[in-house]
Structure formats: structure tokens, C-alpha cells
Amino acid sequence: MARRTTSSSTGSSPGPRNRTPQPLPRRRRTFGDFIKAFFAFIALIVLLVGVPGALATQMGWPLPSGTPSLDWLQQEITAGTFLNVLTVLVWFAWAQFTACVLVEMKAALSGVGVPNRVPGAGPSQLLARQLVAALLLVGATAASFAPGLSQLGQQLQENQRPTVAAAQQTPAGLLGQQEQAASSAAAAVAEQAANAAHAAESGSTADSGDTKYYRIQPPEGRHHDSLWEVAERHLGDGRRYKEIYQLNKDRAQPDGSRLSEASLIRPGWILEMPGDARGGDLVEMPDEAPEVSKEVQQQISDYSNTGSAEQRGSGQQGDSGSGTGSGAVDHDTARITVPEQRPGADQGQQSQGQQGQQEHATSAADDGGFGLPQALLGAPLLAAGLLGALGRRRRQALWQSALGAVGGRRGMMEPPTPTGTAADVQDALLVGADPEGVRLLDRSLRGLAAALAEESRPLPTVYAAWMSNGDLHLQLAQPAGRPPVPWQLGQDQTFWMLARADAERYEDLDTAAPYPGLVSLGTMDDSRLLLNLESVPGIVSLSGSQEDRAGVFASVAAELATNGWSDRMTITLVGFGQDLTPLAPNRLRHLDDIEALVETMEAETRQRRGALGAAGHDSVLTGRTGPAQHTRWAPHLVLLAAEPSAEDAIKLAELASDASRLGIGYLVGTESGDLPGAAWEMEITGEGKLLAPLLGLELDAQLLPVAQQRAVVELFVEADPEREPNGPAADPPFLVDISEQGRPAVYARLVGPYEIIGLDTPDGERSPLLHEALALLLLHREGVHPRVLSSALWPRGVTEDVRDALVERLRAWLGNDPDGTPRLGTDSTGRLKLAKSVVSDLDVLRSLYHEATQGRGVDSRAVRGRLLTDALVLVRGPLLAERPAGRYGWLTHEIIDAQLPLLVADIGLALSAFHLEKGRAGKAIEALNAALGSAPGDERLWHELLRATHATGDETRLQRLAADLVSRSGARGLPPRTEALLDELLPSWRSGVAAVG
């Protein structure tokens, strides 16, 4: 991308595009500006001269002329006494305001640094700043006051935010204030060598007598100068900022401070420049600068006498330091590195969630020619969120299918089996998901919030989180003291770190999520960056091609909508081609255009400001601590994929100026990369790199490409509980021959303790793995991708040769059918699939119920009763009871734990109805009690049990059953339907339950 040119730039050599915050367009001075200046002048005259004049002439001097005696304390307090006290207070207020005006005037006229703070004069100094700024707006010195004017009504220290040195020492330089953005993305080794050669050449040809200097200019609007920009304008390459840093490091500046970080420069500072610097009157020499004041000439002259020969040599020779990757810089400058990583206790097992594991375990581009979407494989937190939300959606559809029918029960609802791209995406979610990482992140953040609340400490502003080697690093906006135990200080005061071992000790806490706006952007040096969108001080812009931007926006939207570390939020989408609402209808909303967005956000901003003021909070962070705050101060994140017009961009920038305090975040796309009012700028390249050179970022971006967006949405739409609610029930995925001729070669009992009939027990330590692999295949008769199998058996990752060896052992263990066909085969998509001769009791259970309710049992009552009875006999307990601890973790991704109880309840209800038709209430009660053993929470079974017990005519037995139901319900009480049924069958149940109790 071409380098942005400025009026002070010379030459036409391209360079990295400037990615610092862009100033809002500056308008010319208007007649209104002069009117404002006039009224500001009148106000200052009235306040500075009129007030003391009025006090002196009307009230006189209120203090006594001599030393008061003790009699003075016994005098009567009159109205005059109060007037004298009030007059003294007004005199003090006037003196304080006058001091504020003088301080602001001095800062504005000198242009050096930021105004000093007058103690205790917050509102007075803010008023003085606005009046002085308005007065000087029509003069040449008004530039330094632009931030104050653009942020009227904000805190006095808005432009005096503490520096975040550590933010520039890590890739979380993204996390610094706008005025501190100065670090660059390091180039590759070849680029750095070329830069060093260029600097050396320029240094050798430069005349030592041509030393040049640059004076840091005051900020304009939201724009603050940086070393990168200085190097870009005057050296032709922003990456040469290190030469400027070396020349000026630790030299005394006019305000007495020193340049100690390459990321921190202040208005009014003097910088010595390399000899080849160019750029007109912005680059000034001490003896040849008639266009500047004598004071500035003297400052430059004094500055030229500081420093050392070594500094000058380093600056003229350029940067000879080398880097070995993204972010490498000289040892003497601020480092651009990921948070310091601690080696785990066992390097063979330690990992950062699923990240790195999947890359190590399945490094090949495909598996036997059948690959999975790499974007989801490398996005463990996004995949975990999508997989969890999909599982919840399928369970909801399953329960709605079970309870939605009127007057009867529909057949067992089976989730649709995805095919094609949707199947690949589902497998990628299973492989890539890191639910344990999500759980630890959520518990760690909530635990931190609870610990800070116990110490009555506010939540610190967190710009980002890094997940590195299993540890969690929080990047703070500014130092916040020592973190609560077990958190530790990281590599500096702006990092709080929690080791994975300590995070695992956290338990679930009833605490509001403190940082729900965190979202993954990508990885850098094996560390994953999560940006806190709601804490960004303004708009985050994303440039690049429309297709590349769409992948980033979709990834951000999908993770925010389904993540597991937030309670609730609103995500407003504008300009999205693919409707993502099915992922989370309660969180996501689409707006038609930018006009609707601006209108919505204006109302939201007003409402939040009012709510914060009414609650007495200065930001949403203080509102999230304390009791009963779970439903308040949820973030509102705006994702604008379409590029706004210049006018709309200005409106959004004005709304975003106070957004971080209100918990509102803005991510806005732009084709050109020049977005007015952008606080942080990023660029997505066609190679999948997310770049922000000034912020020190070069990430492997997390993307959700368009094809995978559609497949993910398809999975959620197919699982929608409202989709065809009255349609026919789906058939089981696998039906077996339940006759004597259909006896299987291998029979596995999964419903209850795990047993295998027809195979010898494998010897050695691999036996548990083989059993687990077979169970996974039996629960997925449609086939299992090899990568899904390996991620299920080895959640921490495994190499392909180990996985393939296990598959071959499993194939050999299962053997072949009499015709020589292997019982473990591979289908056309590359998925592992069992032969029909390998059967589980769950397959038989489903087949028996299907045959009884939709097959031969429909026309033969006797056949139906026999099939239902045989099915209920197969139920020996929960699925895979007594399974080894620490294994079968993949069951958390399944919905079989919800399907099996509903299937057993279906069978019990059908068999009960079968017996009640013939008046066999006792048999019906036996069937219902047997079903309740596996589905104790099914309300329908209890209702039928009440009816069957009522049919016996034994009121005492019915009373005992009612008392049992009441005791089971606990403090929540009986469900309304159950109470209504008891009122019908046993009107005196309430008094009877009390008597039994």
C-alpha cells in the first residue's frame, strides 16, 4: 500500500502507509469561530477582572484588619458573617481560576508538553481550558487546544493519560494510548538488512556539519506525532525510527524529561535527525531557523550540546540490529515481543489450549486427500464457542420435539446429519475446539473480578489478553498495582499474569463477566491475542479487500455471539452479506444501513451516559463490580463491514470519542485505509496477515471465510427448534435387523457398563484407547473423520503416525466379515465407518422402538408390546457407565446424553399406554418406574405415573407419590402442569402432603 504523503514530505519513494490515528478533517475558521473567541474574551474579562472588582467595590475586604481576640468567638453570628464567609470562598475560587488560566495560557503559547494540573481545580481548569482554547482558536497557537475542544465535557486529564510503556514492549503495543503509538511491525531479516545498508550508506555520505533537528508538534484533533511518522516523513521509511531513537535516547529535553522509550514522545521535544533527513521547514538546524522563535532556537542550540559521540554514530550508521521474526528490534530499544512464556512442567503435555496441538498433531495439508477447513482448525476459542452454541441449539430442538406435541408424544427426534461442506465444518469444529481453554479463561476473569471486589478495588482497564503456553496475560491500559493472588505481575507493571496451574484451581463463581468484549484476532509467535473491543478509545478501522475484511468481520461476530466468557451483549451488524443471526438471535441484530446505525447509536450513547450518571459510576467497569450487576452494563459492539462516507465517519468518530467509558466498541471497515477519527488502524492482507505496524502487530489473522460462514449458518439453521416443529420425526441414523438372522458379529453394550461381545480383549496399555475409539465410531454410524478421532482420543494433540497406527490396530482388532470385508472401512469422504456387522445396544434400542411405533408394531398390538418390552430390558443405566476418569471427554460435545433419556422415556410411555389400554395399571407402573431409572427428570413420566397410580384406586399410594414428587421438587416447587394434574386427580393432595411431611 502506498505511503501517505504530507505537505512536508519530499520525494516519491513508497513506504509503509501511516497507520496512526487519523485526524478529523480540519475546517477553516468561520465567522462563528470569531464570535466564540469574542465571547470567550468577554467571559475571561468578566471572570478575571469583573469578579474581583465587584468584590472589592461591593463587599470590601471580608477578613478582619487586626488579630482577632477571644471575644470575637463569642460574638453573635449574623447575616453579615455568612456574607463574609461566602466572600472569602469566592475570592479563593477566583484565585484558583486565575491560576488555571495562567497555566493554560503558558502551555498554549509555549507549545511544550501538556498543561500542568492545578491541585483541586478540575472543573475550574476545564472551564479555563475551553475559554482559552476558544480565544486562541483563531490564532496560530490554537492547535494544541484542539483535543480539549473536541472532547468538551470529558475529564480534565483526557489528554494527560498516563503512559503505557509496557504496551510498546509487546505486541500489545496495540494497547497503548493514541499519543503513545510509535512502535513498528518489525520487518523480515532481509528487509532489516536492506534498511541497515541504506542507513549505513546515507550515514557515510552525510556531512557532519549538516546535523538537523525536528521539534515535535502539538497534537491536531485526535492525531499525535510518533517516531514512525517522523521517520516516514523525513527519512522515507517509518522503520528507520530506531535511528532517531538511538540519536536521542536519554538526552535531556526542554521540559527536563528524557526519551527512554521509542514509543513515547511529547510535544515540544527536540529530536536530532540523521544526516539524510529531508522535509522543509519541519526539519530545523539550530543556526538556520529564522522562521521559529528565539526561544525555540535556543532550545535547539542547547539540545545540540547534549548526547554522546556513540549516539551520533549509531544514528548515522543506521540500525544494524537483526531480528529473527516479526517484532524483533534492537536490544537497546523497546522490545516488540510476545509476553514472556514460562515453560510448562511437562513440555510433552503442556500446551496452549488446542492451539499448537492441532497444528502439531495434523501438520499436513490434508488426511489422505480429505482435508478440513484450516481457518477453524486454528481458531480454538471460536470453534469451542460455535460448537457449544450448536450443541445447545440441538438440545433445545430435541426437548421442543419431546414436549411440543399436543395430546401425545412424537417419535424420537434425530438431529440431521450434515453433508458436504457442512460436515467438513462440523468436523473442523470438533477438531479445533478448545472448551477447556474457554472454561479456564472464563473462570480466571470472573475470579479476578471477585478478588478485586473483595478488596474494594476497581477493575483495571484491559486492552487485550494474550494466551501463551497455557498462561493468561492481561495487558492493562496503565499500571494498577499488584494483582490479587494467584495472579502475578508479568514482565512489567502493565501485565498481570495467571499460570495455567493456578487457573485450574478456580471454581465457577457467581460473578459478572468483567471483560465480555474480548475477541480473538489471531496469533503471533504461538501466542493468541484477544482484543477488548469495548475498551478501545475510539474506532478501530480495518482496511483491505472486501473479501478479506469479510472473513475477519465474520470471525469477530461469530466469536462474540457464541463465546463462553461473557454473560450477555448486543452485537450490531451493518453491511454483512451473510446473515449471521441464526448463530445467536438474542445477541446479534442486523441493521439495514449506516443511517439507521447512527440513529441507534446516538440514542444508545445518550442512554448509557444518563444511566452511568444516575448510578454514580464513571465507567461500565465500576458498574460491573459488586452485587447484582450481572444484567447491567453489558457491552454493545458495532461491526460495520461497509465503508462509511466521510460525513458518516465523522459522526461515528464523535460517538466513539466516549465509547470506551460507556462499554461501546466500534470496528469499521474501509477500502482505502483512511478513516477519519480512527483511533487504531489495522490491515488484513490477501495472505491472511493482520498488520498494524505502529502498534507492533503482525498476526496470523483469525478468519471465517464466506464458504465456511454459509456452512456454519447451515448447521445452526438445520438445528433450529422452530424449523418445521410439526414435521415427521427423523428415522434413526442406523437400523439393525432385530430378527434371529440379524445376529451381529460384534456386539457392544453402551447403555450401562461398557461391554464388548465377539472380540477378545486387547492386551497392553492400548486397550482403553481401542475401546474408546470403538465407542466413538458406534455413536457416529455416519462415519468419523480421522482428525476428529485423533482429537477425541488425544485432546492435547498427537502426531499422524501415532494416530494412523491406532487406526490400523483397531482395524486388525475388529477383523473382517466372512466375505473378507474389513469391519472398519473408509467411505468416499475419507471418514472411518463401521460395517453393519458391528452393532451396539443403542442401535438395537433405537431399532426396536422404531419398529414398534412406525413398523410392524403399528398394525399388531402384540408385536408392539413385545418390542417395547424387549427395548426396556436393554436399559441398564446411563450411557457408558463406570467409564474411566479422564477419558471420553468428547462426550461433552455430543447430545446423546439428552437423546438417551428421552428415548428411554418414549419407550416407557409407549409401554405404559400399551398396558393401560387393557387396564393393567400395575404393569404400567412397572414400565414407568423402569424408565424413570434412566430419565428421572422427565416430567411426562411422572404425569403418567400419577395417572397409572390413580387408575389403581389406591388413594394412599397416590398420596405417597405426591409427597415424593414434592420432596424431589425442592425449593422450586412443583411445575404448574404437575400441580394442575394433582388438583384433578387428588384435590386434597396439599393437606395430605403436609400430613405426610
Side-chain angles (χ1 to χ4, degrees), residues 630-652:
H630 292 69
T631 59
R632 303 182 65 184
W633 318 121
H636 186 165
L637 303 174
V638 176
L639 306 182
L640 176 55
E643 182 170 12
S645 65
E647 181 180 355
D648 289 331
I650 294 174
K651 292 179 180 178
L652 290 174

Side-chain angles (χ1 to χ4, degrees), residues 164-173 183 261 334-338 491-492:
V164 191
Q168 316 302 331
Q169 296 175 347
T170 69
S183 298
E261 297 288 344
R335 291 185 177 275
I336 310 297
T337 59
V338 296
Q491 58 203 58
D492 55 54

